[in-house]
Amino acid sequence: GAVVSQHPSWVICKSGTSVKIECRSLDFQATTMFWYRQFPKQSLMLMATSNEGSKATYEQGVEKDKFLINHASLTLSTLTVTSAHPEDSSFYICSAPGWGTGYTFGSGTRLTVV
Amino acid sequence: GENVEQHPSTLSVQEGDSAVIKCTYSDSASNYFPWYKQELGKRPQLIIDIRSNVGEKKDQRIAVTLNKTAKHFSLHITETQPEDSAVYFCAASISQGAQKLVFGQGTRLTINP
């Protein structure tokens, strides 16, 4: 079945630094990738949609200069949290349209900014 | 855009009883409605889904019903077991996989032995 590999699974970074999260579709081509953020005990909130070869579409209220999304190939989409601050600490998860099950989720990245 | 409301936020039932979680959606164009179970710190796991051309779908102890006119859909879990304890999310999208998936707020289900 469709698999999306997400790395890293967890990361701790200092305030002011940048962190890159990768999502790779292993056995299919993902022309679209959805990026979600989930704060503790809350729902998954869509941040942006990346499309291979074009600019990402950001949801209202999401700073595109802070959350840089790149979808340079059919199998790789990346989210870079720039100048991270403690309030950016969250669970970030990607999702791609898969086969059969509709959407294939990555395993998520727990980001802690100290 | 689509808005999905989910109730209740917490639900506690006795083992063996049934649990029902309800969701409403706003966009009449939505036609794909999955339900996910999420363990702490893990990815959402699809447990059942339904498309708008179907009114009900069942898979063993789990069933989903859809009322397109009222724009609401429900998850039914029968003969609940302790391992059913988790957070459940409903979601809605326009066409399976092609459009963004909007999630409900989630329901924390606790099965009491």
Side-chain angles (χ1 to χ4, degrees), chain B:
Chain B
E2 175 66 279
N3 182 51
V4 179
E5 296 288 332
Q6 182 173 347
H7 299 282
S9 56
T10 60
L11 180 61
S12 182
V13 301
Q14 287 298 121
E15 182 178 355
D17 289 349
S18 296
V20 180
I21 303 171
K22 299 181 179 182
C23 288
T24 60
Y25 61 99
S26 61
D27 193 337
S28 57
S30 291
N31 57 8
Y32 177 64
F33 309 94
W35 284 89
Y36 293 92
K37 178 181 182 181
Q38 188 182 31
E39 308 287 345
L40 187 64
K42 305 288 185 180
R43 77 188 83 194
Q45 179 183 10
L46 180 71
I47 57 172
I48 197 166
D49 59 8
I50 192 167
R51 294 172 179 78
S52 59
N53 59 346
V54 176
E56 183 175 359
K57 183 177 178 181
K58 188 174 182 180
D59 182 4
Q60 298 184 332
R61 298 186 297 110
I62 297 172
V64 55
T65 58
L66 171 66
N67 184 325
K68 285 169 52 181
T69 302
K71 290 190 284 188
H72 67 69
F73 56 112
S74 300
L75 176 71
H76 304 253
I77 305 174
T78 60
E79 301 172 24
T80 54
Q81 301 168 2
E83 53 265 37
D84 294 329
S85 294
V87 178
Y88 292 82
F89 291 98
C90 63
S93 79
I94 301 172
S95 79
Q96 179 186 4
Q99 298 292 331
K100 58 187 179 184
L101 194 61
V102 178
F103 285 83
Q105 294 85 349
T107 296
R108 179 170 297 279
L109 175 63
T110 302
I111 308 301
N112 301 307

Side-chain angles (χ1 to χ4, degrees), chain A:
Chain A
V3 176
V4 172
S5 177
Q6 182 170 348
H7 293 280
S9 56
W10 62 270
V11 57
I12 301 173
C13 72
K14 291 185 177 181
S15 186
T17 62
S18 296
V19 173
K20 179 184 284 188
I21 301 170
E22 293 188 349
C23 280
R24 293 180 183 273
S25 55
L26 298 186
D27 48 4
F28 68 104
Q29 294 181 331
T31 56
T32 299
M33 191 73 74
F34 302 108
W35 287 93
Y36 292 86
R37 178 170 55 183
Q38 186 177 31
F39 291 110
K41 297 186 178 182
Q42 293 188 24
S43 185
L44 289 84
M45 299 301 296
L46 182 67
M47 299 175 64
T49 302
S50 72
N51 295 288
E52 187 269 335
S54 63
K55 290 184 177 180
T57 302
Y58 290 81
E59 295 299 304
Q60 191 172 9
V62 178
E63 301 174 60
K64 60 182 180 181
D65 294 332
K66 181 171 182 61
F67 299 98
L68 301 180
I69 290 176
N70 185 278
H71 198 143
S73 76
L74 289 171
T75 58
L76 176 64
S77 177
T78 61
L79 166 67
T80 301
V81 183
T82 63
S83 187
H85 291 285
E87 57 266 30
D88 298 322
S89 298
S90 188
F91 186 65
Y92 293 85
I93 191 165
C94 59
S95 173
W99 302 102
T101 56
Y103 299 83
T104 301
F105 287 85
S107 54
T109 298
R110 171 72 58 192
L111 170 63
T112 302
V113 184
V114 298

